[in-house]
């Protein structure tokens, strides 16, 4: 197949198309995965900030007594508290609440009075943050070094529900951005690797998908060549006969009749060949007619043996039938096609059985199938030819040649009819010992 330019080019086109489609799908999928991961982590950060802010809010409001003033007990809640305008750090005390997130190194806290003036900071507060206050609930800000932070702002009240001010809980997004950068690199490296593997797999799959097509293409090519050869023979013979007649200045009635008989014989052969080809073409498209019939194989075998008896007598071959069942064997199908199938097998056996030989048609059955066997004591078929005798236009070189008058389509038609009726047709033979053709049809 690789040597055929048409199929090789088509295979490349299929492989590239598969890879392009899969690449697009994977790109969209990767983008969706990245967005989903980013959104999930962003939601987790928001929930964590809300949790920390809520815990601090509930703890601080029970201890604040005057607006804008920090009580000493606040030191017990906030690590590393720095009051603006006071040099150095206050004494660091362990937290009584579950605020371990503040101690992780990337959380900070800012306290503002009600006018927006910064009062104190705590945690890992970055000095590069802008000092201005923004009461917006969620904020994403950037310091002077380009580092990004995410923070939440919450209003504070005193124990008597007076407005105390605001506090902000924020955290660095460095770990978040680092994680997303890692995800990006994984996707950037994974996508080309996946595309290479997909391209290789697409090439293999395109080859597997095109194998039956290529096989059919070869069969069509062979069939076309054989059909052209078979059609050319009678046409060439007819043309030669006509040209010979035209070159003769005058001929008597006997010669005219002989020429017409030759042309008629070639035309009959050509008509039969075309009819066989049309039958095969129709059966390839439609196995059985829309209205199948109930066919009795007992009557079919007895009728054929009776009708072909004259041909057997002419060939000096004994034709007999052996019905090994008592009941009627009925199958569903086309009676004309089944008639032709069995007739082809019997005629084929008679033609290749020498004078004095015997052809026996056996009708039998098992639980689910009717069995028709056509046995002859003819010349037999070589083992190398058994696999191809059902091919169209195939003839065994030594004996099954054109002198019998056949087109090489009889067994091919029989095989096609058998398959159309959900049956099977096989053969076994030995050179010089005869052949047996076995037809099995579902009851």
């Amino acid at each position: 197949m690789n040597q055929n330019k048409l199929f090789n080019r088509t295979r490349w086109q299929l492989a590239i198309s598969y890879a392009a489609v899969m690449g697009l799908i994977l790109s969209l999928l990767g983008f969706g995965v990245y967005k989903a991961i980013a959104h999930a982590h962003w939601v987790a950060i928001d929930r964590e900030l809300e949790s920390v802010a809520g815990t601090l809010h509930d703890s601080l409001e029970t201890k604040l007594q005057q607006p804008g003033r920090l009580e000493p007990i606040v030191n017990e809640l906030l690590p590393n508290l720095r009051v603006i305008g006071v040099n150095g750090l206050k004494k660091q005390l362990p937290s009584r609440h579950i605020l371990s997130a503040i101690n992780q190194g990337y959380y900070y806290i800012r306290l503002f009075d009600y006018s927006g003036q910064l009062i104190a900071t705590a945690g890992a507060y970055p000095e590069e943050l802008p000092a201005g206050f923004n009461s917006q609930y969620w904020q994403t800000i950037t310091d002077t070094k380009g580092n990004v932070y995410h923070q939440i702002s919450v209003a504070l009240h005193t124990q008597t529900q007076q407005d105390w001010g605001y506090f902000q809980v924020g955290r660095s997004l460095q770990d978040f951005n680092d994680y997303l950068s890692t995800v990006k690199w994984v996707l950037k490296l994974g996508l080309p690797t996946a595309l290479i593997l997909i391209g290789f797999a697409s090439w293999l799959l395109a080859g597997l998908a095109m194998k039956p097509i290529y096989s059919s293409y070869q069969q069509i090519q062979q069939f076309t060549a054989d059909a052209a050869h078979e059609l050319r023979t009678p046409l060439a013979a007819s043309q030669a006969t006509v040209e010979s007649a035209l070159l003769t200045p005058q001929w008597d009635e006997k010669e005219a009749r002989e020429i017409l008989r030759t042309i008629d014989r070639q035309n009959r052969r050509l008509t039969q060949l075309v009819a066989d080809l049309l039958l095969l073409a129709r059966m390839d498209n439609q196995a059985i007619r829309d209205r199948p019939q109930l066919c009795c194989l007992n009557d079919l075998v007895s009728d054929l043996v009776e009708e072909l008896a004259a041909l057997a007598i002419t060939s000096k071959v004994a034709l007999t039938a052996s019905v090994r069942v008592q009941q009627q064997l009925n199958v569903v199908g086309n009676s004309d096609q089944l008639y032709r199938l069995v007739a082809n097998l019997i005629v084929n056996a008679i033609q290749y059985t020498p004078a004095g030989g015997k052809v026996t048609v056996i009708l039998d059955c098992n639980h689910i199938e009717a069995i028709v066997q056509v046995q002859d004591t003819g010349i037999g078929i070589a083992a190398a030819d058994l696999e191809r005798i059902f091919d169209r236009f195939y003839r065994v070189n030594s004996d099954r040649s054109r002198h019998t008058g056949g087109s090489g389509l009889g067994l091919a038609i029989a095989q096609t009819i058998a398959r159309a009726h959900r049956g099977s047709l096989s053969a076994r033979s030995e050179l010089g010992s005869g052949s047996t053709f076995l037809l099995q049809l579902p009851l």
Side-chain angles (χ1 to χ4, degrees):
M1 184 171 63
N2 291 332
Q3 285 71 31
N4 189 293
K5 292 183 179 180
L6 174 63
F7 279 86
N8 196 33
R9 184 171 63 251
T10 305
R11 185 178 182 182
W12 273 111
Q13 291 174 348
L14 284 175
I16 292 173
S17 300
Y18 292 159
V21 171
M22 289 302 299
L24 178 61
I25 293 174
L26 286 179
S27 299
L28 295 176
L29 182 61
F31 180 77
V33 169
Y34 175 79
K35 287 297 184 181
I37 292 175
H39 177 73
H41 279 72
W42 191 261
V43 170
I45 289 174
D46 284 351
R47 289 178 178 175
E48 191 173 284
L49 279 173
E50 281 185 321
S51 176
V52 173
T55 302
L56 282 174
H57 178 272
D58 295 342
S59 301
L60 287 173
E61 285 197 340
T62 61
K63 296 172 176 58
L64 297 176
Q65 298 178 1
Q66 295 181 10
R69 178 183 173 184
L70 287 175
E71 307 300 330
I73 196 172
V74 174
N75 291 323
E76 301 179 7
L77 297 175
L78 302 178
N80 196 21
L81 180 66
R82 176 194 290 269
V83 179
I84 301 302
V86 179
N87 295 326
L89 299 175
K90 293 292 184 180
K91 183 178 180 181
Q92 187 171 345
L93 298 175
S95 174
R96 294 181 180 179
H97 297 273
I98 306 174
L99 300 174
S100 59
I102 299 179
N103 296 314
Q104 292 178 0
Y106 45 79
Y107 274 87
Y108 65 87
I109 298 171
R110 295 197 293 184
L111 296 168
F112 296 86
D113 61 18
Y114 199 71
S115 64
Q117 185 69 32
L118 182 63
I119 297 177
T121 63
Y125 178 71
E127 298 295 338
E128 296 81 7
L129 279 179
F133 172 72
N134 189 336
S135 62
Q136 188 176 357
Y137 189 67
W138 288 110
Q139 302 167 50
T140 301
I141 57 179
T142 305
D143 64 13
T144 57
K145 294 183 178 180
N147 299 316
V148 183
Y149 300 85
H150 192 53
Q151 66 182 22
I152 183 173
S153 301
V154 182
L156 281 175
H157 302 84
T158 64
Q159 295 175 348
T160 59
Q161 295 302 313
Q162 292 179 292
D163 293 331
W164 185 92
Y166 303 92
F167 83 99
Q168 293 176 338
V169 180
R171 59 160 290 171
S172 170
L173 295 180
Q174 185 63 42
D175 60 328
F176 174 73
N177 292 330
D178 290 344
Y179 179 77
L180 289 185
S181 297
T182 303
V183 173
K184 285 181 181 178
W185 275 108
V186 170
L187 292 176
K188 287 179 180 179
L189 295 176
L191 182 60
T193 303
L195 286 178
I196 292 173
L197 296 176
I198 289 172
F200 179 72
S202 298
W203 170 259
L204 295 179
L205 291 175
L208 292 176
M210 293 188 65
K211 272 187 177 179
I213 300 175
Y214 184 68
S215 178
S216 299
Y217 173 76
Q218 285 185 313
Q219 290 179 355
I220 291 172
Q221 275 193 322
Q222 184 63 40
F223 177 76
T224 303
D226 292 339
H229 179 73
E230 294 293 335
L231 290 170
R232 184 175 57 187
T233 301
L235 288 174
S238 298
Q239 182 67 26
T241 303
V242 172
E243 289 178 356
S244 176
L246 291 176
L247 291 175
T248 303
Q250 57 182 356
W251 23 272
D252 55 23
E253 182 179 352
K254 182 179 180 181
E255 291 175 333
R257 288 185 176 276
E258 188 63 30
I259 291 173
L260 292 176
R261 287 194 190 96
T262 301
I263 295 175
D264 179 66
R265 185 168 60 251
Q266 297 299 334
N267 284 341
R268 287 178 182 274
R269 180 181 175 188
L270 186 60
T271 302
Q272 183 62 42
L273 178 60
V274 172
D276 289 345
L277 291 174
L278 289 175
L279 174 63
L280 286 172
R282 284 197 302 268
M283 295 191 66
D284 285 341
N285 294 327
Q286 183 179 4
I288 303 178
R289 293 180 181 176
D290 296 336
R291 296 181 180 178
Q293 306 164 343
L294 196 63
C295 306
C296 178
L297 293 181
N298 305 65
D299 296 338
L300 186 145
V301 169
S302 61
D303 290 346
L304 279 172
V305 170
E306 182 179 347
E307 291 176 14
L308 296 175
L311 176 62
I313 293 173
T314 303
S315 301
K316 299 180 181 179
V317 173
L319 176 62
T320 59
S322 175
V323 179
R324 299 177 180 177
V325 291
Q326 300 297 326
Q327 73 275 20
Q328 297 288 322
L329 298 182
N330 296 315
V331 296
V332 177
N334 186 294
S335 58
D336 294 334
Q337 292 180 7
L338 291 174
Y339 182 91
R340 180 161 188 176
L341 190 164
V342 181
N344 282 356
L345 296 180
I346 298 175
V347 171
N348 196 65
I350 294 174
Q351 287 179 343
Y352 299 107
T353 300
K358 182 179 181 181
V359 175
T360 305
V361 183
I362 301 172
L363 179 61
D364 202 351
C365 73
N366 53 31
H367 296 294
I368 58 174
E369 291 178 322
I371 301 172
V372 179
Q373 296 184 65
V374 179
Q375 297 178 347
D376 64 63
T377 58
I379 58 178
I381 307 170
D385 296 314
L386 272 177
E387 297 180 357
R388 300 195 57 193
I389 58 174
F390 296 107
D391 293 348
R392 297 173 185 183
F393 296 113
Y394 182 77
R395 297 184 181 90
V396 178
N397 294 331
S398 60
D399 295 294
R400 295 174 183 246
S401 56
R402 289 185 179 83
H403 78 272
T404 60
S407 62
L409 293 175
L411 290 179
I413 292 174
Q415 180 73 281
T416 304
I417 295 173
R419 289 175 179 173
H421 288 77
R422 297 178 291 113
S424 62
L425 179 61
S426 59
R428 58 178 183 270
S429 179
E430 291 184 10
L431 280 176
S433 300
S435 305
T436 300
F437 285 83
L438 179 66
L439 171 65
Q440 295 173 283
L441 297 170
L443 289 171

